[in-house]
mmCIF file of all heavy atoms in Angstrom:
data_model
loop_
_atom_site.group_PDB
_atom_site.id
_atom_site.type_symbol
_atom_site.label_atom_id
_atom_site.label_comp_id
_atom_site.label_asym_id
_atom_site.label_seq_id
_atom_site.Cartn_x
_atom_site.Cartn_y
_atom_site.Cartn_z
ATOM 1 N N LEU A 1 -58.866 -29.939 18.680
ATOM 2 C CA LEU A 1 -58.192 -28.984 19.567
ATOM 3 C C LEU A 1 -59.101 -28.859 20.853
ATOM 4 O O LEU A 1 -60.326 -28.665 20.688
ATOM 5 C CB LEU A 1 -58.098 -27.650 18.931
ATOM 6 C CG LEU A 1 -57.497 -26.506 19.732
ATOM 7 C CD1 LEU A 1 -56.154 -26.733 20.155
ATOM 8 C CD2 LEU A 1 -57.594 -25.114 18.939
ATOM 9 N N LEU A 2 -58.456 -29.100 22.005
ATOM 10 C CA LEU A 2 -59.196 -28.991 23.286
ATOM 11 C C LEU A 2 -58.879 -27.634 23.877
ATOM 12 O O LEU A 2 -57.698 -27.216 24.175
ATOM 13 C CB LEU A 2 -58.704 -30.139 24.261
ATOM 14 C CG LEU A 2 -59.609 -30.237 25.583
ATOM 15 C CD1 LEU A 2 -60.989 -30.654 25.187
ATOM 16 C CD2 LEU A 2 -58.963 -31.262 26.472
ATOM 17 N N HIS A 3 -59.947 -26.840 24.154
ATOM 18 C CA HIS A 3 -59.743 -25.492 24.763
ATOM 19 C C HIS A 3 -60.594 -25.419 26.070
ATOM 20 O O HIS A 3 -61.774 -25.839 26.096
ATOM 21 C CB HIS A 3 -60.325 -24.393 23.844
ATOM 22 C CG HIS A 3 -59.937 -23.034 24.273
ATOM 23 N ND1 HIS A 3 -58.761 -22.536 24.236
ATOM 24 C CD2 HIS A 3 -60.832 -22.109 24.726
ATOM 25 C CE1 HIS A 3 -58.744 -21.275 24.681
ATOM 26 N NE2 HIS A 3 -60.051 -20.992 25.021
ATOM 27 N N GLY A 4 -59.928 -24.959 27.154
ATOM 28 C CA GLY A 4 -60.646 -24.945 28.449
ATOM 29 C C GLY A 4 -61.202 -23.571 28.832
ATOM 30 O O GLY A 4 -60.566 -22.551 28.571
ATOM 31 N N PHE A 5 -62.405 -23.646 29.307
ATOM 32 C CA PHE A 5 -63.061 -22.346 29.888
ATOM 33 C C PHE A 5 -63.212 -22.581 31.422
ATOM 34 O O PHE A 5 -62.890 -23.648 31.933
ATOM 35 C CB PHE A 5 -64.391 -22.046 29.277
ATOM 36 C CG PHE A 5 -64.234 -21.831 27.721
ATOM 37 C CD1 PHE A 5 -64.513 -22.855 26.884
ATOM 38 C CD2 PHE A 5 -64.032 -20.544 27.285
ATOM 39 C CE1 PHE A 5 -64.363 -22.567 25.448
ATOM 40 C CE2 PHE A 5 -63.966 -20.229 25.937
ATOM 41 C CZ PHE A 5 -64.119 -21.296 25.045
ATOM 42 N N SER A 6 -63.640 -21.566 32.091
ATOM 43 C CA SER A 6 -63.819 -21.669 33.458
ATOM 44 C C SER A 6 -64.891 -22.757 33.911
ATOM 45 O O SER A 6 -64.754 -23.386 34.940
ATOM 46 C CB SER A 6 -64.176 -20.276 34.148
ATOM 47 O OG SER A 6 -65.384 -19.804 33.639
ATOM 48 N N HIS A 7 -65.913 -22.907 33.069
ATOM 49 C CA HIS A 7 -66.995 -23.771 33.408
ATOM 50 C C HIS A 7 -67.160 -25.052 32.563
ATOM 51 O O HIS A 7 -67.969 -25.933 32.865
ATOM 52 C CB HIS A 7 -68.297 -22.978 33.364
ATOM 53 C CG HIS A 7 -68.331 -21.794 34.380
ATOM 54 N ND1 HIS A 7 -68.238 -21.957 35.731
ATOM 55 C CD2 HIS A 7 -68.481 -20.549 34.144
ATOM 56 C CE1 HIS A 7 -68.296 -20.824 36.284
ATOM 57 N NE2 HIS A 7 -68.462 -19.925 35.322
ATOM 58 N N TYR A 8 -66.353 -25.109 31.479
ATOM 59 C CA TYR A 8 -66.460 -26.398 30.690
ATOM 60 C C TYR A 8 -65.228 -26.408 29.762
ATOM 61 O O TYR A 8 -64.489 -25.444 29.596
ATOM 62 C CB TYR A 8 -67.728 -26.417 29.821
ATOM 63 C CG TYR A 8 -67.914 -25.324 28.781
ATOM 64 C CD1 TYR A 8 -67.530 -25.529 27.485
ATOM 65 C CD2 TYR A 8 -68.426 -24.066 29.137
ATOM 66 C CE1 TYR A 8 -67.654 -24.599 26.553
ATOM 67 C CE2 TYR A 8 -68.532 -23.056 28.161
ATOM 68 C CZ TYR A 8 -68.171 -23.357 26.862
ATOM 69 O OH TYR A 8 -68.270 -22.372 25.917
ATOM 70 N N LYS A 9 -65.083 -27.595 29.087
ATOM 71 C CA LYS A 9 -64.038 -27.730 28.059
ATOM 72 C C LYS A 9 -64.774 -27.900 26.747
ATOM 73 O O LYS A 9 -65.810 -28.488 26.634
ATOM 74 C CB LYS A 9 -63.238 -28.953 28.434
ATOM 75 C CG LYS A 9 -62.466 -28.973 29.686
ATOM 76 C CD LYS A 9 -61.666 -30.189 29.942
ATOM 77 C CE LYS A 9 -60.811 -30.151 31.226
ATOM 78 N NZ LYS A 9 -60.114 -31.397 31.454
ATOM 79 N N LEU A 10 -64.015 -27.316 25.697
ATOM 80 C CA LEU A 10 -64.596 -27.344 24.369
ATOM 81 C C LEU A 10 -63.690 -28.137 23.477
ATOM 82 O O LEU A 10 -62.426 -27.838 23.381
ATOM 83 C CB LEU A 10 -64.775 -25.938 23.817
ATOM 84 C CG LEU A 10 -65.302 -25.794 22.414
ATOM 85 C CD1 LEU A 10 -66.701 -26.342 22.336
ATOM 86 C CD2 LEU A 10 -65.270 -24.420 21.944
ATOM 87 N N LYS A 11 -64.185 -29.194 22.841
ATOM 88 C CA LYS A 11 -63.407 -29.983 21.939
ATOM 89 C C LYS A 11 -63.747 -29.553 20.501
ATOM 90 O O LYS A 11 -64.947 -29.690 20.126
ATOM 91 C CB LYS A 11 -63.656 -31.490 22.115
ATOM 92 C CG LYS A 11 -62.899 -32.401 21.159
ATOM 93 C CD LYS A 11 -63.262 -33.919 21.436
ATOM 94 C CE LYS A 11 -62.471 -34.761 20.487
ATOM 95 N NZ LYS A 11 -62.863 -36.201 20.688
ATOM 96 N N ILE A 12 -62.846 -28.983 19.836
ATOM 97 C CA ILE A 12 -63.082 -28.403 18.444
ATOM 98 C C ILE A 12 -62.508 -29.415 17.453
ATOM 99 O O ILE A 12 -61.362 -29.816 17.412
ATOM 100 C CB ILE A 12 -62.426 -27.053 18.258
ATOM 101 C CG1 ILE A 12 -62.899 -26.103 19.383
ATOM 102 C CG2 ILE A 12 -62.551 -26.552 16.925
ATOM 103 C CD1 ILE A 12 -62.143 -24.806 19.341
ATOM 104 N N GLN A 13 -63.420 -29.810 16.491
ATOM 105 C CA GLN A 13 -63.020 -30.642 15.356
ATOM 106 C C GLN A 13 -62.880 -29.713 14.116
ATOM 107 O O GLN A 13 -63.897 -29.285 13.571
ATOM 108 C CB GLN A 13 -63.956 -31.751 15.123
ATOM 109 C CG GLN A 13 -63.711 -32.565 13.827
ATOM 110 C CD GLN A 13 -62.193 -33.220 13.936
ATOM 111 O OE1 GLN A 13 -62.033 -34.042 14.750
ATOM 112 N NE2 GLN A 13 -61.372 -32.726 13.053
ATOM 113 N N PRO A 14 -61.684 -29.397 13.680
ATOM 114 C CA PRO A 14 -61.557 -28.505 12.465
ATOM 115 C C PRO A 14 -61.704 -29.365 11.227
ATOM 116 O O PRO A 14 -61.141 -30.462 11.100
ATOM 117 C CB PRO A 14 -60.149 -27.881 12.642
ATOM 118 C CG PRO A 14 -59.648 -28.393 13.956
ATOM 119 C CD PRO A 14 -60.395 -29.681 14.304
ATOM 120 N N LEU A 15 -62.365 -28.791 10.187
ATOM 121 C CA LEU A 15 -62.474 -29.389 8.891
ATOM 122 C C LEU A 15 -61.956 -28.377 7.880
ATOM 123 O O LEU A 15 -62.504 -27.305 7.779
ATOM 124 C CB LEU A 15 -63.883 -29.812 8.632
ATOM 125 C CG LEU A 15 -64.543 -30.792 9.510
ATOM 126 C CD1 LEU A 15 -66.042 -30.965 9.229
ATOM 127 C CD2 LEU A 15 -63.826 -32.206 9.386
ATOM 128 N N VAL A 16 -60.951 -28.769 7.012
ATOM 129 C CA VAL A 16 -60.464 -27.858 6.011
ATOM 130 C C VAL A 16 -61.015 -28.200 4.653
ATOM 131 O O VAL A 16 -61.067 -29.385 4.308
ATOM 132 C CB VAL A 16 -58.886 -28.012 5.930
ATOM 133 C CG1 VAL A 16 -58.301 -27.021 4.892
ATOM 134 C CG2 VAL A 16 -58.290 -27.665 7.330
ATOM 135 N N ILE A 17 -61.515 -27.170 4.036
ATOM 136 C CA ILE A 17 -62.174 -27.353 2.719
ATOM 137 C C ILE A 17 -61.698 -26.319 1.730
ATOM 138 O O ILE A 17 -61.758 -25.115 2.037
ATOM 139 C CB ILE A 17 -63.713 -27.383 2.807
ATOM 140 C CG1 ILE A 17 -64.246 -28.338 3.810
ATOM 141 C CG2 ILE A 17 -64.361 -27.683 1.368
ATOM 142 C CD1 ILE A 17 -65.729 -28.264 4.017
ATOM 143 N N ALA A 18 -61.261 -26.756 0.596
ATOM 144 C CA ALA A 18 -60.877 -25.779 -0.449
ATOM 145 C C ALA A 18 -62.153 -25.514 -1.318
ATOM 146 O O ALA A 18 -62.781 -26.410 -1.921
ATOM 147 C CB ALA A 18 -59.778 -26.303 -1.339
ATOM 148 N N VAL A 19 -62.637 -24.239 -1.275
ATOM 149 C CA VAL A 19 -63.862 -23.895 -1.956
ATOM 150 C C VAL A 19 -63.529 -23.271 -3.264
ATOM 151 O O VAL A 19 -62.962 -22.190 -3.396
ATOM 152 C CB VAL A 19 -64.609 -22.874 -1.048
ATOM 153 C CG1 VAL A 19 -65.959 -22.489 -1.742
ATOM 154 C CG2 VAL A 19 -64.855 -23.462 0.337
ATOM 155 N N ASN A 20 -63.796 -23.997 -4.345
ATOM 156 C CA ASN A 20 -63.470 -23.577 -5.658
ATOM 157 C C ASN A 20 -64.601 -22.762 -6.274
ATOM 158 O O ASN A 20 -65.210 -23.310 -7.202
ATOM 159 C CB ASN A 20 -63.042 -24.790 -6.535
ATOM 160 C CG ASN A 20 -61.770 -25.456 -6.083
ATOM 161 O OD1 ASN A 20 -60.788 -24.719 -5.708
ATOM 162 N ND2 ASN A 20 -61.827 -26.764 -6.032
ATOM 163 N N VAL A 21 -64.803 -21.589 -5.744
ATOM 164 C CA VAL A 21 -65.944 -20.788 -6.325
ATOM 165 C C VAL A 21 -65.424 -19.319 -6.266
ATOM 166 O O VAL A 21 -64.459 -19.025 -5.680
ATOM 167 C CB VAL A 21 -67.200 -20.896 -5.415
ATOM 168 C CG1 VAL A 21 -67.758 -22.270 -5.489
ATOM 169 C CG2 VAL A 21 -66.983 -20.424 -3.970
ATOM 170 N N GLU A 22 -66.153 -18.487 -6.987
ATOM 171 C CA GLU A 22 -65.828 -17.089 -6.937
ATOM 172 C C GLU A 22 -66.184 -16.480 -5.621
ATOM 173 O O GLU A 22 -67.152 -16.917 -4.936
ATOM 174 C CB GLU A 22 -66.623 -16.340 -8.127
ATOM 175 C CG GLU A 22 -66.220 -16.786 -9.517
ATOM 176 C CD GLU A 22 -64.816 -16.435 -9.847
ATOM 177 O OE1 GLU A 22 -64.335 -15.342 -9.324
ATOM 178 O OE2 GLU A 22 -64.175 -17.133 -10.608
ATOM 179 N N ARG A 23 -65.476 -15.427 -5.239
ATOM 180 C CA ARG A 23 -65.746 -14.726 -4.011
ATOM 181 C C ARG A 23 -67.140 -14.209 -3.972
ATOM 182 O O ARG A 23 -67.775 -14.168 -2.870
ATOM 183 C CB ARG A 23 -64.753 -13.604 -3.845
ATOM 184 C CG ARG A 23 -64.889 -12.822 -2.551
ATOM 185 C CD ARG A 23 -63.870 -11.666 -2.510
ATOM 186 N NE ARG A 23 -64.032 -10.929 -1.209
ATOM 187 C CZ ARG A 23 -63.280 -9.915 -0.927
ATOM 188 N NH1 ARG A 23 -62.385 -9.530 -1.699
ATOM 189 N NH2 ARG A 23 -63.461 -9.207 0.203
ATOM 190 N N ALA A 24 -67.755 -13.852 -5.090
ATOM 191 C CA ALA A 24 -69.113 -13.286 -5.108
ATOM 192 C C ALA A 24 -70.206 -14.191 -4.566
ATOM 193 O O ALA A 24 -71.251 -13.817 -4.290
ATOM 194 C CB ALA A 24 -69.477 -12.761 -6.466
ATOM 195 N N VAL A 25 -69.882 -15.513 -4.511
ATOM 196 C CA VAL A 25 -70.816 -16.461 -3.972
ATOM 197 C C VAL A 25 -71.288 -16.068 -2.556
ATOM 198 O O VAL A 25 -72.475 -16.207 -2.186
ATOM 199 C CB VAL A 25 -70.294 -17.892 -3.987
ATOM 200 C CG1 VAL A 25 -71.360 -18.894 -3.304
ATOM 201 C CG2 VAL A 25 -70.128 -18.335 -5.443
ATOM 202 N N ILE A 26 -70.309 -15.608 -1.809
ATOM 203 C CA ILE A 26 -70.586 -15.080 -0.410
ATOM 204 C C ILE A 26 -70.040 -13.655 -0.442
ATOM 205 O O ILE A 26 -68.806 -13.497 -0.470
ATOM 206 C CB ILE A 26 -69.918 -15.922 0.690
ATOM 207 C CG1 ILE A 26 -70.723 -17.256 0.842
ATOM 208 C CG2 ILE A 26 -70.157 -15.124 2.044
ATOM 209 C CD1 ILE A 26 -70.227 -18.080 1.939
ATOM 210 N N ALA A 27 -70.938 -12.622 -0.510
ATOM 211 C CA ALA A 27 -70.411 -11.304 -0.470
ATOM 212 C C ALA A 27 -70.121 -10.915 0.992
ATOM 213 O O ALA A 27 -70.751 -11.326 1.927
ATOM 214 C CB ALA A 27 -71.439 -10.356 -0.994
ATOM 215 N N ASP A 28 -69.054 -10.100 1.180
ATOM 216 C CA ASP A 28 -68.714 -9.632 2.524
ATOM 217 C C ASP A 28 -69.894 -8.867 3.086
ATOM 218 O O ASP A 28 -70.610 -8.050 2.427
ATOM 219 C CB ASP A 28 -67.455 -8.706 2.537
ATOM 220 C CG ASP A 28 -66.188 -9.426 2.256
ATOM 221 O OD1 ASP A 28 -66.213 -10.755 2.283
ATOM 222 O OD2 ASP A 28 -65.120 -8.819 1.946
ATOM 223 N N ASN A 29 -70.227 -9.134 4.343
ATOM 224 C CA ASN A 29 -71.308 -8.486 4.985
ATOM 225 C C ASN A 29 -71.069 -8.473 6.444
ATOM 226 O O ASN A 29 -69.955 -8.751 6.879
ATOM 227 C CB ASN A 29 -72.624 -9.235 4.642
ATOM 228 C CG ASN A 29 -72.629 -10.652 5.052
ATOM 229 O OD1 ASN A 29 -72.554 -11.015 6.230
ATOM 230 N ND2 ASN A 29 -72.758 -11.578 4.109
ATOM 231 N N GLY A 30 -72.048 -8.024 7.255
ATOM 232 C CA GLY A 30 -71.918 -7.973 8.661
ATOM 233 C C GLY A 30 -71.595 -9.256 9.376
ATOM 234 O O GLY A 30 -71.155 -9.302 10.548
ATOM 235 N N GLN A 31 -71.963 -10.398 8.751
ATOM 236 C CA GLN A 31 -71.838 -11.669 9.395
ATOM 237 C C GLN A 31 -70.821 -12.578 8.841
ATOM 238 O O GLN A 31 -70.300 -13.513 9.474
ATOM 239 C CB GLN A 31 -73.185 -12.412 9.378
ATOM 240 C CG GLN A 31 -74.286 -11.601 10.072
ATOM 241 C CD GLN A 31 -73.998 -11.247 11.513
ATOM 242 O OE1 GLN A 31 -73.403 -12.104 12.289
ATOM 243 N NE2 GLN A 31 -74.229 -10.037 11.933
#
C-alpha cells in the first residue's frame, strides 16, 4: 500500500499472520 505525505511517500508491506496462542501471551497494556 502506497501512502503519500507532504514530504515523502510511504510504501507499506502488510503481513497477515494467524497467531494460535492464548490472549494472555500479550496482556492489554498502554502499548
